[in-house]
Amino acid sequence: MQRSYEVMFIVRPDLLEEDMDKLITTLQGHATTAGATIQNTEKMGKRRLAYDVKKFSDGQYVLFVLQADGKAIHELERRLRVSEPVIKFITVRTDEEKQRLDKVRKLREAKVKRPPAGSQQAEAAESTAAV
Amino acid sequence: MADDNQEVSTPSPRPQGGRPDGPRPDRGPGGREGGGGRKFFRRKKVCKFCVEKIDDINYKDVRLLGQFVAERGKIVPRRLTGVCTPHQRRLTSAIKRARNIALLPFAAR
């Protein structure tokens, strides 16, 4: 079953730009062969870490947004664990959150649309409800 | 005692990681007498996420999450920040995720 995930990982700070690109492309290749489709990759740049990880106090953050099933994610995580320059990673499942957000947005839109159709009373009632 | 005066006068209910001397609605008028003739003006705290209509509490948004983390890295309780329960729940999980990926500290210093 395909779900949407975000995989964020931290690469050691002393890795060169070209090596980093190479690492990202190889990881993407592994992910796609495992059955994932990558929707977006973002290099979030160098950041100070909130605490030391493997004796590094800085790190380069990379974010993958992908559509995958559990197996592909498992494989990608294994690769991340094995690959030496990656010092930390996290996988977050985003499909449920996305669904919830869509629902909330729809509800809000419906609420916004209602007042012009109704009279002033409806608006007044809403403003008191907001307080 | 001096700093709770400050907290009342700040325009927004910012978490300071301070003591629970902030507004506590169930105390009611008792607060007026307790402080030795000092007057308390308690504004009703409102949930930042409800007011600003922030639906998505994302673990990547360190700027936002940082407002709800005390100096030592602790999550500030609801009673100090005024965040509503459903939002606090999401906020907590977001902060914990951010900690996991070293965006926020587990314990600072």
Side-chain angles (χ1 to χ4, degrees):
Chain A
M1 189 189 167
Q2 297 278 306
R3 291 183 172 130
S4 59
Y5 290 91
E6 285 179 358
V7 178
M8 194 191 246
F9 57 94
I10 311 173
V11 183
R12 47 192 295 161
D14 49 7
L15 200 74
L16 295 168
E17 189 77 27
E18 59 221 58
D19 292 335
M20 174 107 146
D21 289 335
K22 221 183 275 168
L23 176 77
I24 289 172
T25 47
T26 52
L27 280 174
Q28 280 175 335
H30 287 315
T32 45
T33 50
T37 48
I38 291 173
Q39 291 166 327
N40 193 17
T41 35
E42 193 187 335
K43 284 198 274 182
M44 294 166 73
K46 212 175 210 176
R47 262 190 68 95
R48 165 143 236 114
L49 301 179
Y51 48 87
D52 287 9
V53 179
K54 297 205 174 153
K55 292 181 182 165
F56 294 112
S57 57
D58 295 280
Q60 306 183 57
Y61 281 79
V62 183
L63 180 74
F64 283 178
V65 179
L66 38 82
Q67 200 84 27
D69 58 352
K71 261 189 189 158
I73 289 293
H74 198 78
E75 173 64 13
L76 183 59
E77 285 200 332
R78 194 185 69 76
R79 296 274 180 190
L80 285 169
R81 217 169 280 132
V82 168
S83 73
E84 202 259 324
V86 177
I87 57 177
K88 213 164 173 52
F89 64 88
I90 190 174
T91 311
V92 177
R93 195 178 138 186
T94 51
D95 54 339
E96 281 176 337
E97 184 68 14
K98 257 184 207 160
Q99 268 180 18
R100 194 188 66 86
L101 279 176
D102 284 348
K103 215 168 144 189
V104 169
R105 270 191 205 126
K106 251 180 213 159
L107 269 172
R108 189 157 292 161
E109 267 171 40
K111 252 187 195 169
V112 169
K113 270 174 200 160
R114 221 174 286 152
S119 61
Q120 276 190 327
Q121 267 187 328
E123 243 182 277
E126 201 170 53
S127 67
T128 49
V131 172
Chain B
M1 262 333 206
D3 57 2
D4 76 357
N5 211 353
Q6 228 178 28
E7 198 175 285
V8 169
S9 64
T10 46
S12 67
R14 298 218 46 196
Q16 299 288 346
R19 303 183 304 275
D21 49 10
R24 209 186 273 169
D26 57 339
R27 245 206 283 175
R32 251 163 229 270
E33 296 149 9
R38 269 164 38 80
K39 277 180 190 164
F40 285 92
F41 290 102
R42 292 225 172 94
R43 268 183 319 105
K44 178 117 170 79
K45 286 185 178 174
V46 281
C47 176
K48 181 189 172 84
F49 301 100
C50 292
V51 170
E52 296 182 20
K53 297 212 167 80
I54 305 169
D55 303 321
D56 184 23
I57 305 179
N58 201 309
Y59 68 99
K60 282 167 289 194
D61 195 351
V62 188
R63 288 276 267 312
L64 179 69
L65 300 182
Q67 295 173 22
F68 297 93
V69 167
E71 234 175 283
R72 293 295 300 262
K74 286 187 180 182
I75 299 171
V76 183
R78 242 163 54 66
R79 79 181 129 81
L80 296 184
T81 55
V83 177
C84 68
T85 315
H87 280 132
Q88 178 78 7
R89 213 177 304 134
R90 297 196 177 279
L91 181 67
T92 308
S93 57
I95 289 172
K96 285 175 180 176
R97 272 177 192 159
R99 282 176 180 169
N100 243 310
I101 195 70
L103 292 172
L104 287 177
F106 282 102
R109 268 154 279 123

